[in-house]
Amino acid sequence: HAADVYKTDLMTVTRHVLNEQSKYPESRGDFSILLSHIVLGCKFVCSAVNKAGLAKLIGLAGETNVQAIRVTGHFDLQGEEQKKLDVLSNEVFVKALISSGRTSILVSEEDEEAIFVEPSKRGRYCVVFDPLDGSSNIDCGVSIGTIFGIYIINDGGDPTLDDVLKPGKNMVAAGYCMYGSSCTFVLSTGSGVNGFTLDPSLGEFILTHPDIKIPNKGKIYSVNEGNAKNWDGPTAKYVESCKFPKDGSSPKSLRYIGSMVADVHRTLLYGGIFLYPADKKSPSGKLRVLYEVFPMSFLMEQAGGQAFTGKQRALDLIPEKIHERSPIFLGSYDDVEEIKALYAAEEKKG
Ligand code: P6P
């Protein structure tokens, strides 16, 4: 009987968002249309990333560097040409978002300036995104991802940068898509976090991780120990306490992939803490506020964890520049509390 072999009540990401939207009777479906275009971009990038892997195997790219693959003209991307995957991904997302007719401003890690959508195609949303975060890991097959956050445009007047230079707590949604052994789409629209896995045979993201909650405390810390020489006191003390716990508990394990989406996804599912602290070389850390720190912090809070910059709650930060960086400590609630206490003690010492 079909019901025995196939799950017939398929909860796709599109259906899930429509369900969410039904809670807001006044909504006109704009968000669902916007999200369907983001999902389209993710499906395209998933396919391109997988091809990049194959390109090396069958020499498609004809170059040692498989970051460029031959574009088969899926989109009007000037037909057949060699493109670096992150440039290709950016073009796909920009074109998909503009063609959705639901956006007014786009901020991409790949574009120095914000993109202001032409008036005839404007909508209520502003999308900030990193189209292919961690792309330096493509050649070795490590998981990479797309990260995005969504603001609603301020009332009245033409769109300006003030519509995106807002605290992360003003975001209406955030998420990422991880291109790894499977293609996993994780999303929050402000009432919890849900994970979807791409079923390539259907071309649909199916709900596989409903209502994700991060464990209150974890056994993993995730940081680039190579920067230890340049850390400030509280960070150094915290990492030391992970390795040589004073309360007799067992040391935490170190897991660091070097691809934010992969490190954050593991933290979300297994618990623990991910940190990219400030250091003497980079006093604001490395990760970008709008399209790395804010979306991941939004998801962590929605999953019951928290996110801290070393000075304040990450989502309270108000960026002044669209590519601004910030230190970030995010993950299990209790683990982040420990590092907050160390920074507070440092603050007291003055
Ligand atoms: P590091 C990748 O380049 C990235 O932007 C994030 O995805 C990742 O978390 C971080 O940088 C890794 O930086 O300095 O540890 O190599």
Side-chain angles (χ1 to χ4, degrees):
H1 187 283
D4 303 335
V5 176
Y6 288 98
K7 198 171 167 334
T8 51
D9 186 19
L10 295 175
M11 180 52 79
T12 63
V13 63
T14 311
R15 190 178 143 202
H16 175 83
V17 169
L18 281 170
N19 288 355
E20 291 278 296
Q21 175 190 302
S22 61
K23 295 175 193 166
Y24 308 99
E26 77 288 350
S27 82
R28 291 159 294 180
D30 288 340
F31 183 78
S32 301
I33 291 168
L34 171 66
L35 198 94
S36 65
H37 285 76
I38 292 176
V39 165
L40 173 68
C42 292
K43 289 178 185 175
F44 181 94
V45 173
C46 178
S47 158
V49 166
N50 290 341
K51 275 199 197 93
L54 273 175
K56 186 152 196 156
L57 186 65
I58 52 183
L60 248 190
E63 302 177 30
T64 47
N65 168 355
V66 290
Q67 288 202 19
I69 60 165
R70 191 163 294 292
V71 177
T72 53
H74 275 302
F75 285 70
D76 58 340
L77 298 176
Q78 295 87 36
E80 303 268 328
E81 57 183 306
Q82 293 288 349
K83 272 188 182 299
K84 273 172 66 70
L85 261 181
D86 42 11
V87 172
L88 174 77
S89 306
N90 188 50
E91 278 190 22
V92 166
F93 277 108
V94 168
K95 287 174 187 280
L97 289 167
I98 292 174
S99 66
S100 78
R102 295 319 187 268
T103 63
S104 283
I105 305 178
L106 307 179
V107 171
S108 167
E109 191 268 348
E110 289 287 330
D111 295 311
E112 195 48 43
E113 303 302 326
I115 296 170
F116 290 87
V117 179
E118 58 170 288
S120 67
K121 291 200 167 166
R122 276 183 194 159
R124 316 164 59 222
Y125 297 103
C126 307
V127 183
V128 295
F129 62 102
D130 187 344
L132 204 56
D133 183 87
S135 50
S136 56
N137 291 295
I138 292 174
D139 287 352
C140 64
V142 160
S143 300
I144 52 180
T146 298
I147 311 171
F148 64 91
I150 301 173
Y151 288 107
I152 287 191
I153 196 156
N154 297 336
D155 290 335
D158 280 343
T160 71
L161 285 184
D162 290 343
D163 291 302
V164 290
L165 294 177
K166 296 191 287 205
K169 63 189 171 191
N170 289 26
M171 284 187 174
V172 290
Y176 59 80
C177 191
M178 184 173 76
Y179 311 108
S181 53
S182 62
C183 182
T184 308
F185 188 86
V186 174
L187 172 73
S188 174
T189 56
S191 44
V193 180
N194 290 285
F196 303 81
T197 303
L198 183 64
D199 176 337
S201 67
L202 295 176
E204 286 287 358
F205 282 103
I206 306 296
L207 181 66
T208 46
H209 298 71
D211 195 24
I212 299 174
K213 291 292 173 210
I214 183 171
N216 267 340
K217 194 157 176 50
K219 300 188 177 67
I220 296 171
Y221 74 105
S222 186
V223 68
N224 181 343
E225 287 262 12
N227 297 331
K229 185 162 66 65
N230 298 316
W231 287 339
D232 63 20
T235 292
K237 281 201 191 85
Y238 178 71
V239 173
E240 185 71 6
S241 74
C242 291
K243 297 196 269 196
F244 303 97
K246 291 198 171 51
D247 60 4
S249 59
S250 47
K252 289 191 192 303
S253 295
L254 170 59
R255 294 285 182 274
Y256 192 69
I257 302 165
S259 176
M260 187 184 199
V261 172
D263 278 317
V264 169
H265 189 61
R266 183 210 52 249
T267 304
L268 187 64
L269 296 188
Y270 294 0
I273 186 167
F274 170 81
L275 30 161
Y276 207 107
D279 66 40
K280 294 184 192 99
K281 281 186 314 173
S282 352
S284 297
K286 172 182 184 181
L287 300 178
R288 307 284 184 171
V289 172
L290 278 183
Y291 41 77
E292 289 176 316
V293 170
F294 278 171
M296 296 315 205
S297 300
F298 186 98
L299 290 167
M300 279 299 161
E301 289 199 2
Q302 287 290 319
Q306 61 173 324
F308 177 63
T309 66
K311 292 196 174 70
Q312 62 184 112
R313 175 192 178 213
L315 291 181
D316 286 342
L317 193 66
I318 301 178
E320 286 160 19
K321 293 248 182 293
I322 58 173
H323 297 296
E324 191 169 304
R325 302 169 195 262
S326 168
I328 185 67
F329 307 87
L330 57 77
S332 292
Y333 194 89
D334 294 354
D335 291 327
V336 178
E337 277 299 286
E338 288 178 24
I339 197 140
K340 281 167 69 176
L342 289 165
Y343 272 97
E346 182 84 355
E347 187 83 17
K348 268 205 202 90
K349 272 197 263 172

